Amino acid sequence: MTGIELININKTFTGSTIKAVENFTLTIPQGSFISLLGPSGCGKTTTLRMLTGLETPDEGIIRLGDKVLFNGETKELVPTEKRGMGLVFQSYALWPHMTIEQNISFGLEMQKVPKEEIAGRIEKIISLLRIEGLEKRYPNQLSGGQQQRIALARMMVLNPHILLLDEPLSNLDAKLRLEMRAELKRLHRELKNTVIYVTHDQMEAMTLSTEIAVMSRGKLQQYAPPMEMYKKPANLFVADFIGSPPMNHFSIADGESLAKTIMPLFPELAEKAFTIGLRPESIMVNPHSTAARENFWKHSAQIETVLPTGSEWIIGLRIDNISFFALLVEDCDYNPGDNVKVVIDPKNFLIFDKEGTRISR
Amino acid sequence: MQNINLKITRAKNTIKNGMNDPTTVIMVILVVVLAYLVIAPIGSMVINTFTVGVRDSSVSGGNVGDITGAFYKRVFNSRVSSVYFYKPLMRTLFVAIMVSIIAIPLGGLLAWFMVKTDLPGKKWMSSLMMLPYIMPSWTFAVVWLTIFKNRRLGGSAGVLESFGFTSPDWLAYGAFPIIICEAFHLFPFAYSLFSNSLKSMDIQLEESARIVGAPRSVITRRIILPLMLPATLSAFLLIFTRVIGSFGTPYILGTGVKYTILPTSLYAAFRSGETGVTAVIAVCMILVGVMLISLDSFLLKDNKRFVTIGIKGSIQRLTPLGIKKPFFVSFVLIVLCVTIFIPLFTLVTSTLTILPGVLTKENLTLVYWIGDTLPSMPGQLGLLRNPDVLGSVVNSLKTAVAAAVLSGFVGIFIGYVVIKKSHSMSGKFLKQISFMPYLVPSIAFAAANISLFAVRRGPVPALYGSMMLVVIVMAVKYLPYASRSGIAAMMQLGNDPEEAAQICGAPWRKRITRIVVPIMKGSLVGGIMLPFITAMKEQSLVIMLATPGTELMTTQVLRYTDYGYMQLANGVVLMIVILIIVFKLVIEKLTGAQATSGLGR
Ligand SMILES: Nc1ncnc2c1ncn2[C@@H]1O[C@H](COP(=O)(O)OP(=O)(O)OP(=O)(O)O)[C@@H](O)[C@H]1O
Ligand SMILES: [Mg+2]
């Protein structure tokens, strides 16, 4: 099969003045697992709907391999029912007048799959998603989590080459969610289809995807594999959005004296630098002498808060009047008010210009 | 050159995409058809107000098709203006005000009893209270005539007369009985407005007043009554629109003494062949109707300041009636008795007695149901053998079913298109236009349709006098109910279920037949049921459309009251009520749905 290409897509809803999706360009290789990540209202669902044809872009081109699904110039348009994509709705959209079994078999009937085969495929998907025993019930007799899995089953039973999932796990409890995540990942490895996964849970995106596309206000902010996204955020928005606890950052104007101790490490950026960012886990507090290298940046600091989370410690620090959070994994027994030494590897400083674009390497 | 090629491709693809999604096609068809059926009649009638028609030239002079101001002059400024227009207008206003003065306090009081007090037997009382909705609005008029009729009109005697009392004209005909009968019909309507309003009032408003120490009487006077003010205004305006729209009662009780109000005046003009004058009166009625309903929705909007929706499931604190309870119970019972039991009892007994109302054994008879010569009704057969009656039953059922099914399905499709195209201009237009018939008083709408369909226009044949026209006019007039229920249902459903089917590869036809229609079944039943009941009782809309070949039960009643054949009229009314109740029960049994919920407006 073939990859998907979105080129310069724009969409403004009738009656609205803001662009729901703006100059959106994305290439999705076949077989990848892409997450669309972004805050509520940033255009994730709209992007998915344009991919499926439920919504028509104002301009741009959508291609599946060398087949054109949409072309804003010539107004070519392949209708939804002929695109053969699967979409799991944010609202599930189960058919209330059909039993679970009928819900799942409807798509197979539409594709004219022979009767004998339908039964087998339903059985398989039911055991795969662990929804046995619900076949004869109606959607309103199921819990939210069960409905969500039926919605998944209804699409997955069709074996679509491209499966679009709109926050499919948002209604499950934490444990089931973890299990379903693993299940999705396994299914993806097995079926080798292309999955586009919408979420605003960054953990989910980080753990599941081969690539993440972060959106904000209809615009693509960055498209990269998860670790690269984390280590080399394209801009302040992405840096802020990904990571928990979030990245520390301060503008050079606010922390002038502190910036003066850092910026000499980056002479070539002195002109453009505007904001300095630092991931919580790259702050070392009173490190062993072996960990702290010669060229590392060192400063004194004062402990403000100590928040144990169970596996880690989130330490609130004040370094020269600027507040930071550090994330420590080893046990520690600091108390608020303690004076400590912080050490940072210079390559962990993230430096952004006035527009918020990252300029450090 | 390339540019042109691109344009051609674009145009081709745009058309292809449009054909792929029949929603657009359906929308275009609906918009065109409804525009023709809703706007064109009114337009044609407006044209009739200033052009000389075939039958008009005696009034206006000039040739057919000439433009003239004669009809406006005749209605507004001539010898006959007061007969045609000013008197009926003032009387309409007078009747509406008097009806409001009776119906609003009565409805409000009963609503207060039912919602706010510990009156026993509330449940069955409040369901009985909805019964007048099922009975035709003019039932009371027929009953009134049956009881109070005197020798002024021919035909059989009134009940009182058989007991030796001849009622004076003012009691038998004209303003007084019209007001009473309209009020009896409309107070449940005020009742339902008030009880909804009381039920939705936030109990905390009352409780906070109680906490600051206000006694119950002060709470009622200072909190509850002011909050009821919007409902009161609304009730008045809607009662006014009902009075303007109702034909039967003023016709039955007013014609004999020439007490005309606007709808009957329009009918009189129509009967005397004055097309232009009819059109002018109809346009005036439409303007008044539009004004009243716009005023009501304006007030409704303004009421947002009064939003008092309580917490879900908040429990009403019931005022104990204490020792006065028996007094209040008998009050409610008397109201129910006068407005429900006495009328029904009168209807039934009058068809079973020779001297009306005299319940002695030798006076009982089945002759009015199965006889072949009826006392003082030359040439008539008993109801169940009377070809006129049986023919009208068949016609009524046929037209009501056809109109109801038609408007029910069109309503669903309007809901479907409006929700799918909610952002397009045409979608909004469709929504507006499907509500428009609601603004137009029935009899004026009928007049408008007659003016449009009287002659062949392009491909549309002259339909006047055909059953088809009756069905079309009814279906369009009831479309607001059906499309409101269709839009509400589609709104609740949303687009997702259909889109999910689309994703699964279902083509449009399959999506409609397997997803949309089955899911909408419940609201479809409501969208058919309500128009059916209304159609069975309809008189204002059909009185001018009915011709000897298309007589309906309701128009048959009027023929009989014209002749004074009260027993036959009553028998037909009973048959209507029975048919409606049977139909309602059957449908409710079959679908398990409360088909008449939302009957209020
Ligand atoms: N049918 C519509 N008409 C008008 N505006 C719309 C419509 N659908 C979405 N929008 C607007 O487009 C923008 C993007 O919406 P979208 O549903 O794509 O957000 P989302 O990223 O999926 O958000 P969420 O995480 O809350 O689901 C929002 O500003 C939304 O208000
Ligand atoms: Mg969304």
Side-chain angles (χ1 to χ4, degrees), chain A residues 14 49 52 54 72-77 79-82 85-87 89 91 93-98 106-107 109-111 154-155 158, chain B residues 6 9-11 13-14 16-17 20 423-424 493 495-508 510-511 514-516 518-519:
Chain A
T14 353
R49 288 173 59 84
T52 55
L54 290 173
E73 201 72 45
T74 59
K75 299 284 176 212
E76 266 174 278
L77 181 76
T80 307
E81 55 269 32
K82 303 223 172 92
M85 297 183 181
L87 168 64
F89 286 73
S91 65
L94 297 178
W95 299 303
H97 62 301
M98 296 184 185
F106 182 80
E109 282 171 46
M110 289 302 121
Q111 299 186 352
R154 182 174 68 180
M155 287 302 151
L158 300 174
Chain B
L6 180 66
T9 329
R10 281 175 82 134
N13 282 325
T14 309
K16 199 176 117 211
N17 298 341
N20 238 320
H423 290 289
S424 78
L493 178 68
N495 280 330
D496 288 359
E498 194 206 343
E499 287 180 352
Q502 202 171 354
I503 295 276
C504 287
W508 187 79
K510 283 265 162 60
R511 302 202 295 270
R514 302 245 345 233
I515 307 288
V516 178
I519 296 182

Side-chain angles (χ1 to χ4, degrees), chain B residues 103-286:
Chain B
I104 292 178
L106 193 58
L109 201 61
L110 287 170
W112 184 72
F113 279 135
M114 296 295 181
V115 178
K116 289 269 171 206
T117 69
D118 63 346
L119 196 78
K122 280 195 285 195
K123 206 167 170 177
W124 62 263
M125 280 180 185
S126 64
S127 49
L128 267 183
M129 208 86 87
M130 289 296 113
L131 209 61
Y133 273 129
I134 291 179
M135 301 202 280
S137 65
W138 35 268
T139 311
F140 293 111
V142 178
V143 170
W144 190 278
L145 210 54
T146 309
I147 298 176
F148 292 102
K149 193 169 184 299
N150 61 22
R151 290 283 164 188
R152 187 187 178 97
L153 306 179
S156 50
V159 172
L160 288 184
E161 210 148 53
S162 41
F163 288 103
F165 172 83
T166 304
S167 44
D169 273 1
W170 66 265
L171 181 62
Y173 314 104
F176 179 73
I178 291 178
I179 289 166
I180 299 292
C181 290
E182 294 271 20
F184 280 3
H185 174 64
L186 288 173
F187 86 88
F189 173 67
Y191 163 81
S192 76
L193 269 179
F194 283 113
S195 68
N196 284 339
S197 186
L198 279 174
K199 274 183 204 149
S200 67
M201 196 174 70
D202 190 347
I203 192 78
Q204 290 186 339
L205 293 175
E206 245 182 287
E207 281 172 351
S208 39
R210 202 190 306 271
I211 285 166
V212 301
R216 206 180 290 278
S217 62
V218 174
I219 294 175
T220 306
R221 198 155 37 84
R222 301 271 305 270
I223 311 275
I224 298 183
L225 285 183
L227 284 172
M228 289 296 106
L229 193 64
T232 313
L233 285 176
S234 193
F236 173 70
L237 292 172
L238 294 174
I239 282 177
F240 200 161
T241 63
R242 290 294 180 104
V243 170
I244 280 203
S246 77
F247 171 79
T249 303
Y251 179 78
I252 293 169
L253 295 172
T255 313
V257 291
K258 299 205 159 39
Y259 190 85
T260 47
I261 67 171
L262 281 178
T264 40
S265 161
L266 181 131
Y267 182 68
F270 172 77
R271 285 304 291 265
S272 53
E274 298 204 38
T275 315
V277 171
T278 312
V280 174
I281 299 175
V283 167
C284 292
M285 285 174 65
I286 292 175

Side-chain angles (χ1 to χ4, degrees), chain B residues 537-601:
Chain B
K537 308 185 302 182
E538 186 64 69
Q539 205 165 47
S540 320
L541 196 57
V542 295
I543 181 63
M544 298 203 291
L545 299 174
T547 49
T550 57
E551 206 77 77
L552 303 176
M553 293 169 89
T554 50
T555 55
Q556 194 64 43
V557 170
L558 292 184
R559 305 282 174 251
Y560 287 145
T561 57
D562 280 348
Y563 300 136
Y565 297 169
M566 294 320 294
Q567 287 84 348
L568 295 185
N570 291 346
V572 178
V573 176
L574 271 179
M575 288 160 88
I576 294 177
V577 173
I578 290 168
L579 282 175
I580 290 176
I581 291 175
V582 167
F583 192 81
K584 181 167 139 53
L585 290 180
V586 167
I587 292 286
E588 280 178 2
K589 196 98 203 164
L590 285 182
T591 61
Q594 262 289 353
T596 40
S597 54
L599 209 58
R601 289 195 176 189

